[in-house]
């Protein structure tokens, strides 16, 4: 594992901690898209079907369990916790995420490395992760005002994707048989979605102002 | 590269 991959995993972890912190500390999930969070649950469950069949490392196994567990905990809080669910901005979170699930699954049936149960679900999870942030980004755009922790959450998620791209570039030059076009192309698409957000994030950071997205 | 290692990322 190289430093970029590790930095990517850590920023991913930090993003989840920031989100949990926001929900637990403020007992509020305002500005957070439940649809994006539900998509992440599906992403992790579909991708980590290999938890019991392929062992890579203790690190990988622990991280997989953490990602599955934390994403389930977040959705549980937003749906079941009495105080938290009252703060959910349902009317701003109207993205039709079922189409993303359906589209990703059809794409996985067409484009995959091997026509096996696990490989189809792996490709599905990669495609779905690429678009899973869209309901959240649309929600941020709609509300315009982004609170601090929500902004940090999306920032760390984007940083995670950027580090993964550096990781692939590094692996491409250091490993003799590195080719994984499904993950890399989807990763590029996914990172591109963050470009707009990053632009406004850095402007607000530079001006030391509150993050605001144009309507 | 073995199959298991093909998905060594998270």
């Amino acid at each position: 594992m190289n430093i970029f991959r590790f930095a990517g995993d850590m920023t991913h972890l930090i993003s989840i901690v920031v989100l949990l912190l926001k929900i637990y500390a403020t007992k509020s999930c305002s500005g957070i898209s439940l649809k994006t969070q539900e998509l992440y649950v599906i992403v992790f469950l579909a991708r980590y079907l290999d938890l019991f069949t392929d062992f890579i490392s203790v690190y990988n196994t622990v991280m997989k369990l953490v990602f599955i567990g934390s994403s389930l905990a977040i959705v549980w809080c937003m749906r079941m916790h009495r105080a938290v669910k009252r703060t959910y901005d349902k009317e701003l979170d109207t993205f039709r995420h079922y189409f993303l699930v359906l589209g990703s699954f059809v794409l996985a049936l067409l484009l995959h490395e091997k026509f096996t149960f696990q490989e189809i679900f792996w490709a599905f999870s990669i495609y779905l992760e690429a678009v899973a942030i869209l309901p959240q980004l649309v929600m941020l755009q709609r509300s315009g005002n982004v609170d601090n922790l929500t902004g940090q959450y999306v920032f760390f998620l984007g940083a995670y994707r950027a580090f993964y791209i550096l990781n692939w570039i590094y692996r491409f030059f250091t490993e003799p048989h590195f080719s994984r076009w499904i993950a890399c192309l989807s990763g590029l698409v996914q990172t591109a979605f963050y470009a707009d957000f990053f632009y406004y994030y850095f402007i607000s950071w530079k001006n030391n102002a509150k993050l605001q997205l144009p309507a | 590269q073995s199959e298991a290692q093909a998905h060594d990322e998270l």
Side-chain angles (χ1 to χ4, degrees):
Chain A
M1 182 164 61
N2 59 65
I3 186 72
F4 302 113
R5 152 85 197 276
F6 184 68
D9 288 345
M10 287 306 111
T11 40
H12 194 184
L13 204 58
I14 291 170
S15 75
I16 291 169
V17 170
V18 167
L19 183 53
L20 284 171
L21 197 77
K22 173 194 158 79
I23 293 175
Y24 277 100
T26 66
K27 291 281 177 288
S28 155
C29 63
S30 70
I32 300 298
S33 165
L34 176 61
K35 297 190 170 176
T36 283
Q37 297 307 321
E38 288 181 339
L39 292 181
Y40 281 138
V41 170
I42 299 172
V43 164
F44 293 136
L45 288 178
R47 187 174 310 166
Y48 301 150
L49 284 173
D50 64 358
L51 252 176
F52 303 103
T53 56
D54 303 302
F55 178 77
I56 307 281
S57 65
V58 174
Y59 172 84
N60 268 36
T61 303
V62 170
M63 292 293 270
K64 286 173 181 179
L65 291 172
V66 168
F67 287 147
I68 291 174
S70 56
S71 62
L72 281 171
I74 290 163
V75 168
W76 183 86
C77 267
M78 291 183 72
R79 281 190 168 277
M80 303 294 181
H81 192 286
R82 205 187 299 174
V84 173
K85 76 176 180 190
R86 266 202 299 262
T87 61
Y88 169 48
D89 305 316
K90 199 176 177 188
E91 63 289 348
L92 290 174
D93 194 20
T94 54
F95 200 98
R96 294 194 213 293
H97 63 326
Y98 296 109
F99 287 112
L100 299 179
V101 178
L102 196 70
S104 304
F105 195 74
V106 170
L107 193 60
L109 287 175
L110 299 171
L111 295 176
H112 45 259
E113 286 179 7
K114 235 188 231 166
F115 194 77
T116 63
F117 184 80
Q118 273 197 6
E119 286 298 319
I120 299 283
F121 273 90
W122 180 83
F124 164 63
S125 83
I126 295 287
Y127 300 139
L128 188 59
E129 188 189 355
V131 291
I133 194 64
L134 290 178
Q136 179 66 65
L137 291 176
V138 167
M139 197 172 171
L140 289 188
Q141 199 110 48
R142 283 207 181 147
S143 55
N145 265 322
V146 185
D147 74 74
N148 241 326
L149 285 172
T150 306
Q152 311 286 12
Y153 167 65
V154 178
F155 170 78
F156 279 115
L157 264 184
Y160 143 60
R161 296 315 312 177
F163 278 124
Y164 256 71
I165 287 181
L166 293 177
N167 153 58
W168 292 325
I169 293 171
Y170 181 86
R171 293 187 73 170
F172 179 78
F173 285 110
T174 55
E175 290 176 28
H177 303 293
F178 184 76
S179 75
R180 45 184 77 202
W181 57 275
I182 288 182
C184 292
L185 276 180
S186 312
L188 279 177
V189 170
Q190 186 178 353
T191 315
F193 287 137
Y194 289 91
D196 197 52
F197 173 85
F198 269 127
Y199 173 76
Y200 291 106
Y201 186 90
F202 282 118
I203 284 188
S204 77
W205 176 74
K206 213 177 78 187
N207 299 338
N208 208 4
K210 200 169 150 51
L211 176 59
Q212 270 188 320
L213 300 176
Chain B
Q1 197 179 19
S2 79
E3 246 182 274
Q5 281 174 327
H7 301 318
D8 59 353
E9 292 176 348
L10 291 167

